[in-house]
Amino acid sequence: MLEDAGLLDIEEDGWVRRCHLDAAPLSEAFRWLTRHGVLWEDRFDALADHLENEDR
């Protein structure tokens, strides 16, 4: 699965299999999560404020 995702490169040499992790594709996922995480964090904060004020 990791190999299919482009995160793992497997080099076969007879009985030996060398695995190399390529974390570069993860940086794009991290940027996406960071960008959208801020958006959702702001929305959840606004919802919490709304719910607190609604009880008053």
Side-chain angles (χ1 to χ4, degrees):
M1 184 183 289
L2 293 175
E3 188 177 18
D4 291 341
L7 298 173
L8 191 65
D9 180 39
I10 299 175
E11 177 185 327
E12 296 184 26
D13 184 15
W15 289 85
V16 176
R17 294 176 56 130
R18 291 180 183 86
C19 300
H20 306 277
L21 179 64
D22 180 11
L26 292 176
S27 64
E28 181 62 31
F30 181 74
R31 279 194 297 276
W32 187 90
L33 288 169
T34 301
R35 185 173 59 242
H36 287 85
V38 170
L39 170 74
W40 283 106
E41 196 173 291
D42 290 345
R43 289 186 178 186
F44 283 130
D45 288 344
L47 176 61
D49 291 343
H50 173 74
L51 293 175
E52 286 175 8
N53 292 328
E54 189 176 67
D55 289 340
R56 293 180 187 172

